[in-house]
Amino acid sequence: MGNSSWKPKKSPKSLDMTEENFWLMKSEPNAYSIETLKNDEVTLWDGIRNYQARNFMRKMNKGDKVFFYHSNCKPPGIVGLMEVIDLNIIDPTQFDKDSKYFDPKSKPENPRWDCVKVKYLSKSDKILSLPELKNLFSEDELLVVKKGNRLSIIPVQNDTAKILLEKI
DNA sequence: GCCAACGTTGGC
DNA sequence: GCCAACGTTGGC
């Protein structure tokens, strides 16, 4: 449960009507879990190799809230909340030959992949399971949790986000 | 620039 | 382990 009393921020950037305040990002807990983030406190959301997901990260603002979703596990669902604290960071793993995210087609003079930095806010007492999310999400939002969908980042509408915040 | 083949994701 | 639903690749 979050202790916070934050509100959707009113920064100068929010004059931009395309601003999104809430997002959902997926990670397999085997690869990176909410517990790991809690220990790390801060992490780079690197390794995203899907253009649409990358483009969503490019639309993020500092202070945006992100629902952390555990995928490919039992049970899948939202397990916590984090906050975007830094933007437009070149993903270092694309140039790391030892990384599973190494991209030989990406050149340092023209990097293909970038990402955001997030910080831990809270871990849910109880997982918000996929069946529950299917009832709460709009059609667009369901795209991220659809079977076989490779999109791992999606904007969450404010109305949906308010409901989710009550439940995590 | 089409599209068939292929690889990956991820719930079930 | 199955397989639907995608994104990517590459021959033409």
Side-chain angles (χ1 to χ4, degrees):
Chain A
M1 193 74 77
N3 62 341
S4 52
S5 59
W6 57 268
K7 307 174 193 113
K9 75 185 163 96
K10 290 281 181 195
S11 73
K13 256 191 158 179
S14 66
L15 294 172
D16 177 4
M17 297 305 285
T18 63
E19 180 186 9
E20 304 278 356
N21 285 307
F22 298 98
W23 307 85
L24 181 149
M25 301 204 292
K26 289 197 283 195
S27 177
E28 301 190 8
N30 286 342
Y32 197 86
S33 72
I34 186 74
E35 286 81 9
T36 313
L37 177 62
K38 186 176 182 179
N39 286 331
D40 292 350
E41 295 182 17
V42 162
T43 196
L44 212 55
W45 207 261
D46 54 15
I48 300 299
R49 295 294 179 268
N50 172 291
Y51 288 106
Q52 200 178 343
R54 183 205 63 184
N55 293 342
F56 280 140
M57 281 197 288
R58 290 181 173 179
K59 293 172 83 174
M60 291 180 182
N61 291 305
K62 288 185 185 179
D64 284 1
K65 302 299 182 295
V66 184
F67 298 99
F68 194 135
Y69 179 94
H70 275 178
S71 66
N72 206 8
C73 60
K74 288 188 294 187
I78 289 174
V79 293
L81 193 66
M82 45 196 176
E83 178 181 332
V84 177
I85 59 168
D86 217 344
L87 309 172
N88 304 317
I89 302 163
I90 292 172
D91 182 341
T93 63
Q94 67 194 306
F95 304 124
D96 178 2
K97 286 196 172 68
D98 296 328
S99 169
K100 63 179 285 199
Y101 301 116
F102 175 66
D103 182 355
K105 293 178 182 172
S106 184
K107 297 286 172 269
E109 59 272 21
N110 186 23
R112 192 176 286 202
W113 306 108
D114 48 80
C115 57
V116 296
K117 189 180 283 185
V118 294
K119 79 170 180 189
Y120 171 85
L121 286 186
S122 64
K123 177 175 178 292
S124 309
D125 297 327
K126 178 181 163 297
I127 188 166
L128 224 183
S129 74
L130 179 57
E132 292 178 85
L133 294 177
K134 283 178 174 169
N135 291 327
L136 297 171
F137 276 178
S138 67
E139 284 297 311
D140 283 350
E141 290 159 339
L142 279 176
L143 287 177
V144 80
V145 292
K146 230 171 73 179
K147 181 181 177 186
N149 199 302
R150 302 180 65 187
L151 194 57
S152 62
I153 299 175
I154 205 163
V156 176
Q157 293 155 21
N158 280 15
D159 290 350
T160 311
K162 288 196 183 83
I163 299 169
L164 297 180
L165 289 171
E166 298 292 321
K167 292 176 176 289
I168 66 170

